[in-house]
Amino acid sequence: MPSPIIPPRRKRVTFSCSECRRRKLRCDRNQPCSRCKGQSVDCTYDNPASNQKKRAVDNQRSNNDHYADTPVSLNTIVTPPQPPFTHSAATRNINTTLEAPQSQGTWGLLGQQIEAPSQTAVRERPAIMSDSIQLLEPAKPRKTENVIFRGKNFKTQFYGGSNPTSLIGDFPELRSFMQDSIKQHPSLPRVQRELKSLQMKWKAEKRSIFPPTKMDPFHFFPDEATANQLIHIYLETVETTYRIIHIPSFWKEYNGYLFDRKSARPTFMILTLLMMSVASCLSEEKTTHVGDSAVARERAASWIEISEQWLRNQSQKHIHLITWQIRCLLLLSKQVNVIKKKRIWTEAGTLLRQAMAAGFHRDPAILGEKVSRFDQEMRRRLWSTITELELQASIDRGMPSALAGISSDCATVQNINDEDLTDETEGEDRSNEWNSYTQCSYIHVSSSSFALRASLNSLVNTLGPPLHWEQVIECEELVKAELEKLPCWAQETPRQKSEVLPAALLNVQLQQFLILLHMPFARKIGSSSRCVVSRMICFQAAQRILEQVQCLKDHAYFFLVLFRQDYFRAALAVCHSGYMASTDPGMLNLEILLPCLYSALQTIRRPIPGSH
């Protein structure tokens, strides 16, 4: 039996221009349309005669419409002739209006605003949802989750709401701008391919220059002048905040190495290499490049690779203090030098579980005389450092911290200098007062707000319903109470050089939660009092974060910017405030906004010595 002849499908008449159809955006069908203004060459129509006839019919129909006095909606939708109006047809029309932009993603949520029926000028404006559509169907909520979930099959990556890049979704025109830039400059994809090819060639060359079978820490140790410079940078930055090294013990062994280089332990050499790798990108040496990366970063990457290989070959039974110090420095160095950045959060969780398996979350005083007073305090310092690293990695990734559901009875780190903690220490060590600054002041003060920060991170990155306004205000009051509790040396200016970085970090790690808590309300389109208040709080918190970071000098500034993403989040929050102010000029004073925005952009462009 012959198969039935299937008639060809009738080709649907197209009225939009080819560029809007390609980008799946709504077209007003003018010549050129509002989206192709400035690029009239790209605004072409497949059927211009039918398009002109259609526009003439629409104009005639709009003139005869008895609802001509009704205000025009923000989203003007031009449709082909419809059958007689029915309730089902109206429902279908509304659903099409809502679902079409959602299928295009966040970037397709751009509408148009017609200022007056008699005016022909069309002005683009970010209209997430028309007011008329909200009135017609208020029961259908829009998706407000602001996360990044991309990839396919099992090659996926997820970044939660506290990740700074999730704020980029609040700039609807950004993707269109990037697509237009690539189209106007065809050389950009070629440059990207050339950089990728250069990166692959350098990886192949690097294996021949530094063979994995000959990773000797003594061979890769730099000259004495370079080593001294990098060690001092590390001690002036990291060890004023996170406590990993006991400084007097380190200098004692390092001076012994300089006196007799053959007597140095390989373990100590690995520890020193990791300390220098953290400070490698912070040094002020002349920036030169190899492949697509700076020489300072490649040097740090080789030291990290040597340390990883050494650590894999060590026994898991015979672990000493220096082993835990190496584990902490390895995570810190990868984060500062941006080595395998997508694995930072998982590696921080692994380090946390290793510490818990060793009982670091329990107070070492339980073991009694089995642990000396010196080792007890070093265990407390390492546990506090590991928990802070894991919490901040969770915030930057947009994930709940594992510490939110873990109980710990480890005592707070004592507020003392390293000179007051020695192997011969006996009896109780007396901790200094809250307002007295010591080398352990940051980690001592930070522990008081740790539980609050871990809980707030879980609330911000929860998959449940968003926080209500009353909950946000309650959390905001808790954060402000912790800010007021900070010691006087963290609130007053000017401060000593050693106090600048820990004081800035204590403020920034709390101020960032004011942005995270209020940003869901600040993102909403509207002029309600809650939205306005949230936008002001986000802008003020971002402004304070930028001021705190910009007051840092040289190495301290570079360390904070490379290690954390608070500054990037604050800069994006300021840009978002400027974007919202462009839609509602009366919302924020531009005389205050523009200098802050300019300062953020200038500081982001500030060159970082040795960075990639």
Side-chain angles (χ1 to χ4, degrees):
M1 182 177 178
S3 59
I5 299 176
I6 302 176
R9 297 181 60 183
R10 189 176 68 176
K11 186 177 180 181
R12 183 178 179 183
V13 180
T14 57
F15 299 100
S16 300
C17 69
S18 57
E19 184 65 12
C20 289
R21 289 205 319 277
R22 183 184 68 83
R23 295 162 59 186
K24 296 182 179 180
L25 298 176
R26 185 175 303 155
C27 182
D28 61 358
R29 303 166 190 179
N30 292 319
Q31 184 64 40
C33 69
S34 61
R35 298 188 184 278
C36 296
K37 282 187 176 180
Q39 305 174 18
S40 57
V41 178
D42 299 331
C43 190
T44 58
Y45 292 87
D46 295 340
N47 194 2
S50 300
N51 190 39
Q52 293 174 2
K53 181 179 179 181
K54 178 66 176 59
R55 288 202 303 270
V57 172
D58 290 340
N59 292 335
Q60 182 67 24
R61 183 171 300 174
S62 62
N63 293 332
N64 298 332
D65 194 352
H66 64 281
Y67 290 110
D69 295 333
T70 305
V72 181
S73 171
L74 293 179
N75 288 339
T76 303
I77 305 172
V78 181
T79 58
Q82 298 292 334
F85 179 84
T86 60
H87 178 74
S88 60
T91 305
R92 183 169 59 254
N93 187 23
I94 294 173
N95 290 340
T96 303
T97 305
L98 287 175
E99 292 172 2
Q102 290 177 357
S103 64
Q104 299 167 11
T106 307
W107 314 108
L109 300 178
L110 294 181
Q112 299 168 352
Q113 181 185 15
I114 299 180
E115 297 180 357
S118 60
Q119 296 178 359
T120 58
V122 180
R123 180 166 58 90
E124 291 190 1
R125 169 177 180 171
I128 301 299
M129 183 179 293
S130 173
D131 296 338
S132 61
I133 298 177
Q134 292 183 8
L135 295 175
L136 289 172
E137 191 174 345
K140 186 173 182 179
R142 272 186 35 80
K143 183 179 179 181
T144 58
E145 188 179 10
N146 201 34
V147 298
I148 296 178
F149 192 14
R150 58 191 177 190
K152 61 180 181 179
N153 297 334
F154 291 95
K155 299 179 180 180
T156 56
Q157 291 290 330
F158 178 81
Y159 298 86
S162 63
N163 180 263
T165 53
S166 62
L167 291 176
I168 297 178
D170 295 321
F171 302 93
E173 290 91 349
L174 181 58
R175 186 177 182 183
S176 300
F177 170 77
M178 295 172 64
Q179 290 176 345
D180 294 341
S181 300
I182 293 176
K183 186 174 181 180
Q184 294 177 6
H185 303 280
S187 60
L188 292 178
R190 186 182 71 252
V191 172
Q192 186 179 15
R193 290 192 297 268
E194 291 176 355
L195 287 176
K196 185 65 176 179
S197 176
L198 185 63
Q199 182 181 14
M200 299 305 295
K201 290 180 181 179
W202 165 242
K203 285 185 177 180
E205 292 292 335
K206 184 179 178 180
R207 288 296 175 183
S208 60
I209 298 175
F210 306 112
T213 56
K214 298 181 180 180
M215 293 292 189
D216 185 3
F218 293 91
H219 175 71
F220 288 95
F221 206 85
D223 58 273
E224 184 177 345
T226 303
N228 290 337
Q229 179 192 13
L230 296 178
I231 290 172
H232 279 94
I233 293 175
Y234 170 84
L235 296 178
E236 292 172 0
T237 53
V238 178
E239 289 299 326
T240 61
T241 53
Y242 306 103
R243 295 313 318 272
I244 301 174
I245 306 298
H246 185 249
I247 299 176
S249 301
F250 169 80
W251 282 123
K252 180 179 179 180
E253 189 163 2
Y254 182 73
N255 291 329
Y257 158 76
L258 295 179
F259 181 76
D260 184 7
R261 298 180 184 272
K262 296 182 180 180
S263 64
R265 297 179 299 160
T267 309
F268 178 76
M269 301 302 296
I270 293 295
L271 177 73
T272 309
L273 285 178
L274 286 176
M275 292 171 59
M276 293 187 295
S277 68
V278 175
S280 182
C281 285
L282 311 180
S283 61
E284 297 180 351
E285 57 186 321
K286 184 179 179 180
T287 303
T288 54
H289 292 78
V290 54
D292 65 335
S293 181
V295 171
R297 180 176 178 269
E298 287 299 326
R299 178 181 59 188
S302 63
W303 290 341
I304 292 173
E305 189 174 358
I306 296 170
S307 303
E308 281 187 310
Q309 182 183 6
W310 177 88
L311 194 59
R312 284 193 296 266
N313 296 332
Q314 300 307 304
S315 171
Q316 298 298 318
K317 295 182 179 180
H318 307 287
I319 298 180
H320 305 281
L321 169 63
I322 197 169
T323 307
W324 287 102
Q325 292 172 331
I326 289 174
R327 289 176 175 177
C328 293
L329 285 171
L330 188 59
L331 175 65
L332 188 65
S333 182
K334 286 183 177 180
Q335 198 163 355
V336 171
N337 294 283
V338 199
I339 305 295
K340 303 294 184 182
K341 62 179 181 180
K342 295 180 181 178
R343 302 181 186 177
I344 294 297
W345 178 66
T346 54
E347 292 187 4
T350 301
L351 179 60
L352 176 69
R353 284 159 180 79
Q354 289 175 340
M356 292 185 63
F360 275 65
H361 64 300
R362 301 302 307 274
D363 192 76
I366 300 175
L367 297 174
E369 297 180 355
K370 294 182 180 179
V371 183
S372 64
R373 303 294 302 179
F374 175 83
D375 289 340
Q376 287 184 20
E377 188 61 22
M378 291 303 299
R379 285 176 66 101
R380 296 187 185 103
R381 292 184 181 185
L382 290 174
W383 172 248
S384 297
T385 298
I386 292 171
T387 54
E388 288 288 350
L389 293 177
E390 196 275 340
L391 176 58
Q392 188 58 38
S394 301
I395 296 173
D396 292 339
R397 179 73 186 211
M399 295 287 191
S401 172
L403 294 157
I406 295 175
S407 59
S408 172
D409 61 354
C410 185
T412 305
V413 174
Q414 294 182 351
N415 189 25
I416 57 177
N417 290 309
D418 284 7
E419 290 76 12
D420 300 328
L421 179 66
T422 61
D423 293 323
E424 294 79 17
T425 302
E426 296 180 359
E428 291 286 341
D429 295 321
R430 294 184 178 181
S431 180
N432 292 304
E433 297 180 354
W434 179 264
N435 289 321
S436 299
Y437 177 78
T438 66
Q439 295 170 332
C440 293
S441 288
Y442 163 76
I443 209 163
H444 174 77
V445 175
S446 182
S447 61
S448 64
S449 64
F450 182 85
L452 174 63
R453 288 182 282 123
S455 301
L456 292 179
N457 177 57
S458 299
L459 290 175
V460 169
N461 293 303
T462 183
L463 299 181
L467 295 177
H468 298 291
W469 176 256
E470 292 75 14
Q471 295 174 307
V472 171
I473 295 301
E474 183 180 355
C475 295
E476 177 193 352
E477 294 298 328
L478 294 175
V479 172
K480 289 183 176 179
E482 290 295 334
L483 286 170
E484 293 176 357
K485 280 173 51 181
L486 293 179
C488 58
W489 55 265
Q491 298 182 5
E492 299 175 355
T493 54
R495 295 181 290 261
Q496 297 181 6
K497 182 179 179 181
S498 60
E499 301 174 2
V500 175
L501 179 58
L505 193 52
L506 287 173
N507 282 275
V508 166
Q509 68 184 12
L510 289 170
Q511 294 282 356
Q512 66 176 344
F513 283 102
L514 295 179
I515 301 177
L516 295 175
L517 289 170
H518 282 277
M519 186 53 70
F521 287 92
R523 291 199 309 261
K524 293 182 179 179
I525 301 296
S527 58
S528 66
S529 59
R530 294 180 177 179
C531 295
V532 173
V533 170
S534 292
R535 290 168 192 161
M536 291 300 301
I537 293 176
C538 286
F539 175 74
Q540 292 173 359
Q543 188 179 24
R544 286 191 290 266
I545 291 176
L546 297 180
E547 291 174 353
Q548 289 283 344
V549 177
Q550 289 169 359
C551 73
L552 301 178
K553 302 296 182 182
D554 301 329
H555 314 306
Y557 167 82
F558 298 141
F559 170 71
L560 201 62
V561 172
L562 290 175
F563 177 65
R564 302 166 64 93
Q565 299 186 23
D566 313 277
Y567 185 81
F568 183 45
R569 183 187 296 107
L572 285 178
V574 172
C575 294
H576 183 263
S577 299
Y579 176 77
M580 298 301 295
S582 65
T583 62
D584 186 6
M587 183 192 70
L588 191 63
N589 188 357
L590 294 180
E591 295 181 358
I592 301 176
L593 172 65
L594 293 180
C596 184
L597 182 60
Y598 178 77
S599 178
L601 295 176
Q602 287 296 109
T603 311
I604 289 177
R605 293 172 57 189
R606 181 180 178 182
I608 299 177
S611 62
H612 64 286

